[in-house]
Amino acid sequence: MLTIPLGGNYLTSSKKEKMLIASAKSIIEENPSRTIKLLNYSFNETWISETSDAIELYSKTDEHFSHISVIIRDSIGNTPVFLGFNDYYKSADKLGPKKGDFIHQTTKEEREYLKGVFEKGSTEIKFSAKDGQYELFYPYFKNGKRIVLYFADYHRYGKVGIS
């Protein structure tokens, strides 16, 4: 799903979308053992720390992404939530991590998209571009497990920077 930016900068947006999708696919394919670890989600400090390390490597591998997160479907009590994990995790709490600290804030449209991925098995890639902010939701499935890799890149308005 493509959200065309106001101002009609469709060509730049389309070029950026193709580049980000190719980069996301390349990161996954070039790091199979790390990607498998991401799929083996378990809310514990070991998984969170290993995920943080993997995302840090992914971020340093590709200059096109200023922000990468792994989105997982989980629940807090009986409430379904989407948790987002990035490369900033540092354990400071002696009681261990708390799910509430990892909630990935979304818009209604993004929640509907993520529900489609996690509940219905949609493999649709979601890209949006607005005012120099590019976001890519890249679902990844393997052996009945699924995650969504979220990639974001931001450029000040008017700065193209696409090669």
Side-chain angles (χ1 to χ4, degrees):
M1 178 181 304
L2 174 64
T3 304
I4 298 174
L6 295 176
N9 199 348
Y10 177 76
L11 184 59
T12 299
S13 180
S14 178
K15 191 174 183 180
K16 185 74 168 186
E17 176 183 19
K18 289 175 185 163
M19 180 184 57
L20 292 178
I21 290 171
S23 292
K25 185 177 180 181
S26 146
I27 283 174
I28 289 169
E29 290 174 352
E30 292 172 6
N31 297 283
S33 63
R34 281 183 169 58
T35 304
I36 293 298
K37 284 183 180 184
L38 297 179
L39 286 166
N40 291 320
Y41 169 69
S42 177
F43 191 82
N44 61 52
E45 196 156 346
T46 300
W47 185 89
I48 295 168
S49 181
E50 288 177 356
T51 296
S52 178
D53 292 344
I55 292 171
E56 182 178 18
L57 178 71
Y58 293 173
S59 296
K60 289 180 178 179
T61 299
D62 199 306
E63 67 183 352
H64 297 117
F65 301 120
S66 56
H67 176 79
I68 302 175
S69 293
V70 175
I71 300 174
I72 302 289
R73 173 90 174 194
D74 202 335
S75 62
I76 298 177
N78 293 327
T79 304
V81 293
F82 297 105
L83 302 180
F85 302 90
N86 55 42
D87 63 340
Y88 303 119
Y89 178 73
K90 301 295 178 230
S91 177
D93 190 343
K94 293 180 182 179
L95 299 175
K98 295 176 185 68
K99 286 183 184 180
D101 293 338
F102 294 92
I103 293 175
H104 182 81
Q105 291 184 325
T106 57
T107 63
K108 182 177 189 270
E109 178 186 351
E110 290 168 344
R111 281 190 303 280
E112 292 303 316
Y113 166 78
L114 291 169
K115 284 179 188 176
V117 171
F118 288 102
E119 294 175 8
K120 299 175 183 160
S122 171
T123 59
E124 176 186 353
I125 295 170
K126 178 178 174 36
F127 173 81
S128 64
K130 182 179 180 186
D131 298 332
Q133 174 74 36
Y134 301 96
E135 296 180 308
L136 178 71
F137 290 84
Y138 192 94
Y140 182 70
F141 293 64
K142 189 162 187 148
N143 301 327
K145 297 178 181 180
R146 51 192 89 170
I147 59 173
V148 173
L149 293 171
Y150 170 78
F151 301 91
D153 192 21
Y154 178 76
H155 295 286
R156 285 190 320 234
Y157 186 73
K159 180 181 175 188
V160 179
I162 297 176
S163 41

